Every structure is written in C-alpha cells, then in structure tokens.
Amino acid sequence: MTIDQEPEFERLLDAMKSAGGVLQQAGIPFVLGGGLACWARGGPKTEHDVDFLVKPEDAERAQQALVQAGMRTENPPEGWLLKAYDDRVLVDLIFDPQDGPIDDALFDRAEELEVHAMRLKVAPLEDVLVQKLLALSEQNPDYTSVLELGRSLREQVDWDEVRERTKHSPFAKGYFTLLEELEILPG
C-alpha cells in the first residue's frame, strides 16, 4: 500500500466502525469478513470495502438500520448481498455467499477481537479464503488477493479445511497448485 492509499484505508476503518456501531446499536448480529478480517489477524491492508456477514433473515433490517443512520443503499442484482455507502466507502452486507447462507455455525466459529479499537466478531481465515476462492470464476479469475493472503497468513490457516471446502472448484485447485509451485505451501 502506498502512502497515497493510507487515507483510503483510514476511511475504510472509519466506515467499519461507523456501520458496525449502527448494527450493534440496532441489535443486529454480524461478523466482520473479507479483507478486514484478514488484516485484523496480521494480513495486508485492504483497499476495497467493508464486508459484514449477516444472517439472511437480518440482511434487510441491517440495511435499513444503515439507511436510518444516513447511509445510501443499493440492492444489487446478485441476490446474495446488499450494499450501503458510508460516504464513498462501500459496506457489503453478505448473507448468502457461494459456500452457503450465513448461519449460526459461522457465528460460532468467529472470534471476538479488537479491531481498530472496536470489539467485534471476526470471521475465521478459513471462511474468508473459502468465500474468496469460490468467488473466482471465468469472468473473474484474479488470484492477486488470495495469493497475497495465502503468503502473509499461511501459518494461521487450516489449509486442509480450505482445500476440502473448495475441492469442487477448478479455480481453488489452481490456487493450491500456485501455492505449492510458489513454495508458499509445501507440495
């Protein structure tokens, strides 16, 4: 991350705290996912968005709470997430990713951590990697972020679990081949 990107990352963290505070006040359970969940465990800074994982039955209520807090919202055509914007920062409310709907099991696996002076549940690295790997497709075959995450967090990840949960994906198979060929993981 360059010096010019540092203010963007600070805006991302501020949006996480703002949106997370709104959801906490509204009593809506959520788990921090995506790049910020990885960063919270020592991974690289993310440049994209804030990902909150919510149960399907809480997604619209979460979005409405963010609207009431003054955020602009969007309902994308994908059907597995809702969006809100804290100024220019995108907050994704993910409720039905590729590996199945967000459920109690994910909340049970999540660990409560302090992230930028805020206590919140954070998704396990395995869940983040599974979601990112299953999102790879012929239209989006970009391994950049998952390779960076694999390299920086490799000692913290249960790779057998990630491999098992993604074994049906040809893109995940390619990812593991890359990790082995690049000597990020033993072959």
Side-chain angles (χ1 to χ4, degrees), residues 21-153:
V22 168
L23 296 180
Q24 285 176 342
Q25 279 191 316
I28 301 167
F30 67 93
V31 172
L32 179 65
L36 284 177
C38 296
W39 174 77
R41 289 189 168 85
K45 291 179 179 178
T46 182
E47 304 166 7
H48 300 293
D49 56 17
V50 177
D51 290 333
F52 286 144
L53 310 175
V54 296
K55 294 178 187 173
E57 61 268 23
D58 292 331
E60 287 184 23
R61 193 165 61 101
Q63 189 183 44
Q64 285 308 307
L66 297 176
V67 165
Q68 290 172 355
M71 294 185 197
R72 179 173 55 88
T73 62
E74 181 182 313
N75 292 344
E78 291 93 325
W80 53 271
L81 80 162
L82 298 173
K83 296 177 180 283
Y85 292 87
D86 184 5
D87 192 19
R88 296 181 326 228
V89 178
L90 174 62
V91 177
D92 281 335
L93 300 169
I94 299 169
F95 57 89
D96 193 9
Q98 293 287 333
D99 61 330
I102 303 302
D103 58 13
D104 288 331
L106 180 125
F107 277 80
D108 292 343
R109 287 190 304 272
E111 182 181 358
E112 189 166 310
L113 298 174
E114 187 169 312
V115 182
H116 199 60
M118 182 176 191
R119 299 249 356 131
L120 61 156
K121 284 190 163 268
V122 178
L125 294 173
E126 293 79 11
D127 285 279
V128 175
L129 283 165
V130 166
Q131 289 172 8
K132 287 183 174 293
L133 288 172
L134 293 180
L136 296 174
S137 66
E138 289 181 36
Q139 293 76 31
N140 181 31
D142 185 355
Y143 287 93
T144 307
S145 73
V146 288
L147 284 173
E148 185 178 25
L149 292 173
R151 183 177 300 283
S152 65
L153 298 168

